[in-house]
PDB file of all heavy atoms in Angstrom:
ATOM      1  N   PRO A  88     -40.020   3.116  11.007  1.00 89.00           N
ATOM      2  CA  PRO A  88     -41.372   2.952  10.446  1.00 89.00           C
ATOM      3  C   PRO A  88     -41.466   1.855   9.411  1.00 89.00           C
ATOM      4  O   PRO A  88     -40.559   1.664   8.672  1.00 89.00           O
ATOM      5  CB  PRO A  88     -41.702   4.292   9.938  1.00 89.00           C
ATOM      6  CG  PRO A  88     -40.435   4.923   9.688  1.00 89.00           C
ATOM      7  CD  PRO A  88     -39.511   4.388  10.712  1.00 89.00           C
ATOM      8  N   ALA A  89     -42.681   1.152   9.344  1.00 88.00           N
ATOM      9  CA  ALA A  89     -42.783   0.123   8.311  1.00 88.00           C
ATOM     10  C   ALA A  89     -43.218   0.825   6.964  1.00 88.00           C
ATOM     11  O   ALA A  89     -43.625   2.048   6.942  1.00 88.00           O
ATOM     12  CB  ALA A  89     -43.787  -0.811   8.708  1.00 88.00           C
ATOM     13  N   ASN A  90     -43.203   0.080   5.910  1.00 87.00           N
ATOM     14  CA  ASN A  90     -43.695   0.556   4.569  1.00 87.00           C
ATOM     15  C   ASN A  90     -42.990   1.752   4.044  1.00 87.00           C
ATOM     16  O   ASN A  90     -43.542   2.755   3.479  1.00 87.00           O
ATOM     17  CB  ASN A  90     -45.202   0.795   4.622  1.00 87.00           C
ATOM     18  CG  ASN A  90     -46.000  -0.476   4.971  1.00 87.00           C
ATOM     19  OD1 ASN A  90     -45.626  -1.582   4.451  1.00 87.00           O
ATOM     20  ND2 ASN A  90     -46.973  -0.347   5.761  1.00 87.00           N
ATOM     21  N   ARG A  91     -41.789   1.902   4.310  1.00 90.00           N
ATOM     22  CA  ARG A  91     -40.961   3.001   3.764  1.00 90.00           C
ATOM     23  C   ARG A  91     -40.513   2.576   2.309  1.00 90.00           C
ATOM     24  O   ARG A  91     -40.276   1.456   1.994  1.00 90.00           O
ATOM     25  CB  ARG A  91     -39.630   3.243   4.559  1.00 90.00           C
ATOM     26  CG  ARG A  91     -39.865   3.505   6.001  1.00 90.00           C
ATOM     27  CD  ARG A  91     -38.600   3.800   6.641  1.00 90.00           C
ATOM     28  NE  ARG A  91     -37.591   2.704   6.480  1.00 90.00           N
ATOM     29  CZ  ARG A  91     -36.321   2.767   6.737  1.00 90.00           C
ATOM     30  NH1 ARG A  91     -35.782   3.844   7.242  1.00 90.00           N
ATOM     31  NH2 ARG A  91     -35.544   1.688   6.598  1.00 90.00           N
ATOM     32  N   SER A  92     -40.446   3.522   1.558  1.00 88.00           N
ATOM     33  CA  SER A  92     -39.999   3.334   0.073  1.00 88.00           C
ATOM     34  C   SER A  92     -38.552   3.195   0.079  1.00 88.00           C
ATOM     35  O   SER A  92     -37.755   3.943   0.787  1.00 88.00           O
ATOM     36  CB  SER A  92     -40.383   4.534  -0.823  1.00 88.00           C
ATOM     37  OG  SER A  92     -39.922   4.335  -2.085  1.00 88.00           O
ATOM     38  N   MET A  93     -37.973   2.316  -0.805  1.00 89.00           N
ATOM     39  CA  MET A  93     -36.554   2.092  -0.998  1.00 89.00           C
ATOM     40  C   MET A  93     -36.150   2.992  -2.138  1.00 89.00           C
ATOM     41  O   MET A  93     -34.877   3.139  -2.351  1.00 89.00           O
ATOM     42  CB  MET A  93     -36.251   0.648  -1.284  1.00 89.00           C
ATOM     43  CG  MET A  93     -36.499  -0.295  -0.128  1.00 89.00           C
ATOM     44  SD  MET A  93     -35.894  -1.913  -0.362  1.00 89.00           S
ATOM     45  CE  MET A  93     -34.121  -1.645  -0.040  1.00 89.00           C
ATOM     46  N   TYR A  94     -37.056   3.644  -2.787  1.00 88.00           N
ATOM     47  CA  TYR A  94     -36.714   4.495  -3.933  1.00 88.00           C
ATOM     48  C   TYR A  94     -35.767   3.907  -4.899  1.00 88.00           C
ATOM     49  O   TYR A  94     -34.809   4.577  -5.300  1.00 88.00           O
ATOM     50  CB  TYR A  94     -36.116   5.820  -3.351  1.00 88.00           C
ATOM     51  CG  TYR A  94     -37.100   6.684  -2.549  1.00 88.00           C
ATOM     52  CD1 TYR A  94     -37.129   6.638  -1.124  1.00 88.00           C
ATOM     53  CD2 TYR A  94     -38.041   7.450  -3.260  1.00 88.00           C
ATOM     54  CE1 TYR A  94     -38.015   7.450  -0.496  1.00 88.00           C
ATOM     55  CE2 TYR A  94     -38.990   8.245  -2.492  1.00 88.00           C
ATOM     56  CZ  TYR A  94     -38.995   8.202  -1.132  1.00 88.00           C
ATOM     57  OH  TYR A  94     -39.862   8.939  -0.400  1.00 88.00           O
ATOM     58  N   ILE A  95     -36.055   2.681  -5.323  1.00 86.00           N
ATOM     59  CA  ILE A  95     -35.278   2.002  -6.224  1.00 86.00           C
ATOM     60  C   ILE A  95     -35.449   2.723  -7.560  1.00 86.00           C
ATOM     61  O   ILE A  95     -36.577   2.798  -8.085  1.00 86.00           O
ATOM     62  CB  ILE A  95     -35.624   0.565  -6.408  1.00 86.00           C
ATOM     63  CG1 ILE A  95     -35.491  -0.125  -5.064  1.00 86.00           C
ATOM     64  CG2 ILE A  95     -34.896  -0.184  -7.454  1.00 86.00           C
ATOM     65  CD1 ILE A  95     -36.085  -1.567  -4.977  1.00 86.00           C
ATOM     66  N   ASN A  96     -34.400   3.237  -8.233  1.00 81.00           N
ATOM     67  CA  ASN A  96     -34.447   4.087  -9.434  1.00 81.00           C
ATOM     68  C   ASN A  96     -35.426   5.250  -9.243  1.00 81.00           C
ATOM     69  O   ASN A  96     -36.093   5.643 -10.072  1.00 81.00           O
ATOM     70  CB  ASN A  96     -34.975   3.242 -10.561  1.00 81.00           C
ATOM     71  CG  ASN A  96     -33.953   2.111 -10.929  1.00 81.00           C
ATOM     72  OD1 ASN A  96     -32.741   2.218 -10.707  1.00 81.00           O
ATOM     73  ND2 ASN A  96     -34.418   0.985 -11.335  1.00 81.00           N
ATOM     74  N   GLU A  97     -35.471   5.732  -7.944  1.00 82.00           N
ATOM     75  CA  GLU A  97     -36.324   6.869  -7.568  1.00 82.00           C
ATOM     76  C   GLU A  97     -37.842   6.621  -7.749  1.00 82.00           C
ATOM     77  O   GLU A  97     -38.628   7.562  -7.724  1.00 82.00           O
ATOM     78  CB  GLU A  97     -35.911   8.141  -8.361  1.00 82.00           C
ATOM     79  CG  GLU A  97     -34.480   8.595  -7.983  1.00 82.00           C
ATOM     80  CD  GLU A  97     -34.224   9.954  -8.512  1.00 82.00           C
ATOM     81  OE1 GLU A  97     -35.092  10.581  -9.094  1.00 82.00           O
ATOM     82  OE2 GLU A  97     -32.972  10.334  -8.510  1.00 82.00           O
ATOM     83  N   ASN A  98     -38.127   5.380  -7.695  1.00 83.00           N
ATOM     84  CA  ASN A  98     -39.619   4.960  -7.715  1.00 83.00           C
ATOM     85  C   ASN A  98     -40.075   4.939  -6.373  1.00 83.00           C
ATOM     86  O   ASN A  98     -39.572   4.255  -5.409  1.00 83.00           O
ATOM     87  CB  ASN A  98     -39.745   3.569  -8.308  1.00 83.00           C
ATOM     88  CG  ASN A  98     -41.110   3.084  -8.413  1.00 83.00           C
ATOM     89  OD1 ASN A  98     -42.093   3.780  -7.936  1.00 83.00           O
ATOM     90  ND2 ASN A  98     -41.315   1.840  -8.956  1.00 83.00           N
ATOM     91  N   PRO A  99     -41.014   5.870  -5.930  1.00 87.00           N
ATOM     92  CA  PRO A  99     -41.440   6.013  -4.604  1.00 87.00           C
ATOM     93  C   PRO A  99     -42.381   4.843  -4.091  1.00 87.00           C
ATOM     94  O   PRO A  99     -42.702   4.852  -2.932  1.00 87.00           O
ATOM     95  CB  PRO A  99     -42.230   7.366  -4.595  1.00 87.00           C
ATOM     96  CG  PRO A  99     -42.771   7.402  -6.054  1.00 87.00           C
ATOM     97  CD  PRO A  99     -41.726   6.775  -6.874  1.00 87.00           C
ATOM     98  N   ASP A 100     -42.919   4.059  -5.055  1.00 85.00           N
ATOM     99  CA  ASP A 100     -43.818   2.949  -4.603  1.00 85.00           C
ATOM    100  C   ASP A 100     -43.164   1.971  -3.700  1.00 85.00           C
ATOM    101  O   ASP A 100     -41.963   1.679  -3.727  1.00 85.00           O
ATOM    102  CB  ASP A 100     -44.341   2.306  -5.835  1.00 85.00           C
ATOM    103  CG  ASP A 100     -45.225   3.219  -6.660  1.00 85.00           C
ATOM    104  OD1 ASP A 100     -46.200   3.738  -6.123  1.00 85.00           O
ATOM    105  OD2 ASP A 100     -44.919   3.345  -7.866  1.00 85.00           O
ATOM    106  N   VAL A 101     -44.006   1.417  -2.821  1.00 87.00           N
ATOM    107  CA  VAL A 101     -43.657   0.366  -1.857  1.00 87.00           C
ATOM    108  C   VAL A 101     -44.051  -1.006  -2.385  1.00 87.00           C
ATOM    109  O   VAL A 101     -45.148  -1.095  -2.911  1.00 87.00           O
ATOM    110  CB  VAL A 101     -44.283   0.562  -0.470  1.00 87.00           C
ATOM    111  CG1 VAL A 101     -43.898  -0.476   0.529  1.00 87.00           C
ATOM    112  CG2 VAL A 101     -43.735   1.981   0.123  1.00 87.00           C
TER     113      VAL A 101
END
Side-chain angles (χ1 to χ4, degrees):
N90 297 321
R91 303 181 307 167
S92 173
M93 298 189 76
Y94 292 100
I95 302 172
N96 300 327
E97 298 190 8
N98 181 356
D100 293 302
V101 176

